[in-house]
Amino acid sequence: MILAALAILGGFALMIWSADRFIDGAAATAKHAGMPSLLIGMVIVGFGTSAPEMVVSAMAAIDGNPDLALGNALGSNIVNTGLILGITALVAPIAVHSKIVRKELPILLLIGLFAGALFWNGELSRLEAFILLAGFFGLIGWTIFAAIKGRGDALEVETEQELMAHPMPLGRAIMWLCIGLVLLIVSSRILVWGAVTIAQSLGVSDLIIGLTIVALGTSLPELAASVIAARKGEHDIAIGNVVGSNMFNLLAVVGIAGVIAPMPQLSPDVLTRDWPVMMAMTVGLFVMAYGFRGEGRLNRIEGVILLASYIAYNIWLLNSVMAG
């Protein structure tokens, strides 16, 4: 148990550090390749902040723990929306200037409903997982189109400022890209081993461990990125990180895990507890941040509501473990 706990802590620390290096290296490499700043902000950074979830869920599926993989994806969305945006809005209220981020909010809602429809029969087949992956590639296509059409968007301006503030030679960018990716895989391996070992020792389900410890750990890069962005006044990066990551989690993270290890029997809790909570938070975020009468905004009161929802959900999980 002690070794497993150390593996989780060490895995988290290495994952946070390697995810930062991976994102910085990928963004700088893309900039050297001539990729538009808006596309870097939407695809490279969004994909990069979801890289820990993707690698952890893939490792869990390879190891025969698909519930851990699914719990990680759904739990990460709950952490992103409730904990991360809640804390970020408390640090600095978030104004949504970007038209693209406003377009992404209803798309995230639709993706969440689509994923729920696939879960509704109590399983996730390999074909359904491929459908999610096809949706992911469709999302990437839309993102590229939106980035080309959205020149001058607030998100582009903020991303350009970030890239200019942290210039990196091409050689160093490629080095950190490769090192970050390798260490992401290593840290994910360590983390999954520690999480599964503790779950088995305590008699807790892989799903619960995925929804709590693993989801929180893999979402730490988003927390750091969003809080730092909000403090700098880069509001659209702060919320865009979360919205993009949530879309990637549902399509790519669940899709990759399902292709590797289909889930013939989902836990009933997924449909009665976890997916509804995720969707309720997503709807709440949409109502708060969309801005039906002009610019969207997440104020401190709404941040408290999101944070309180996350805490209430975790109390629910704790009660379910105690009752079990």
Side-chain angles (χ1 to χ4, degrees):
M1 279 283 286
I2 294 173
L3 188 59
L6 289 174
I8 288 177
L9 292 174
F12 280 161
L14 185 58
M15 179 178 292
I16 295 165
W17 186 84
S18 58
D20 281 345
R21 301 289 81 74
F22 174 73
I23 294 168
D24 289 346
T29 302
K31 185 66 176 174
H32 281 290
M35 184 180 285
S37 298
L38 184 56
L39 198 54
I40 292 173
M42 293 177 70
V43 178
I44 304 296
V45 176
F47 182 87
T49 52
S50 288
E53 286 91 343
M54 290 183 195
V55 179
V56 166
S57 287
M59 292 295 177
I62 290 168
D63 289 346
N65 302 105
D67 280 351
L68 179 62
L70 182 59
N72 178 33
L74 297 180
S76 290
N77 278 21
I78 292 169
V79 171
N80 285 350
T81 308
L83 180 67
I84 293 175
L85 283 183
I87 289 175
T88 304
L90 285 175
V91 170
I94 305 167
V96 186
H97 304 290
S98 171
K99 292 179 182 178
I100 290 175
V101 172
R102 289 181 64 193
K103 287 178 183 176
E104 287 180 335
L105 285 166
I107 293 174
L108 174 59
L109 262 181
L110 291 174
I111 290 171
L113 290 171
F114 180 65
L118 294 182
F119 298 155
W120 203 254
N121 61 359
E123 66 172 325
L124 184 70
S125 67
R126 185 168 275 123
L127 175 61
E128 290 170 330
F130 271 120
I131 291 172
L132 286 173
L133 279 181
F136 171 68
F137 289 114
L139 175 65
I140 293 295
W142 175 83
T143 301
I144 293 170
F145 175 78
I148 292 170
K149 293 287 186 181
R151 294 295 173 87
D153 189 85
L155 184 61
E156 179 180 37
V157 175
E158 291 179 10
T159 305
E160 182 65 30
Q161 289 172 349
E162 273 297 293
L163 291 169
M164 294 292 286
H166 303 97
M168 190 183 296
L170 180 58
R172 190 188 303 169
I174 294 172
M175 178 190 75
W176 283 125
L177 173 63
C178 296
I179 290 175
L181 183 58
V182 170
L183 291 182
L184 261 179
I185 294 168
V186 172
S187 60
S188 299
R189 201 76 172 119
I190 296 169
L191 175 61
V192 169
W193 176 83
V196 171
T197 301
I198 285 182
Q200 292 172 346
S201 300
L202 298 177
V204 179
S205 71
D206 288 347
L207 178 65
I208 293 289
I209 292 293
L211 287 163
T212 52
I213 296 173
V214 178
L216 180 61
T218 55
S219 295
L220 288 175
E222 284 98 326
L223 176 59
S226 291
V227 170
I228 291 169
R231 289 184 66 126
K232 290 180 179 177
E234 297 167 344
H235 297 174
D236 295 292
I237 288 180
I239 193 169
N241 277 339
V242 167
V243 174
S245 180
N246 284 6
M247 293 191 292
F248 287 1
N249 286 345
L250 288 173
L251 295 173
V253 176
V254 178
I256 290 169
V259 167
I260 294 170
M263 306 171 198
Q265 189 171 1
L266 298 179
S267 168
D269 291 333
V270 170
L271 279 173
T272 59
R273 181 192 62 204
D274 309 316
W275 177 80
V277 167
M278 183 198 75
M279 285 305 302
M281 285 190 175
T282 304
V283 171
L285 174 62
F286 175 72
V287 171
M288 294 171 186
Y290 185 75
F292 294 94
R293 295 180 180 178
E295 195 175 85
R297 187 175 178 83
L298 266 180
N299 60 37
R300 286 194 170 93
I301 293 173
E302 291 164 337
V304 169
I305 292 170
L306 289 173
L307 195 54
S309 302
Y310 174 74
I311 293 169
Y313 169 70
N314 277 274
I315 292 171
W316 187 2
L317 287 180
L318 182 61
N319 286 337
S320 69
V321 169
M322 299 294 284

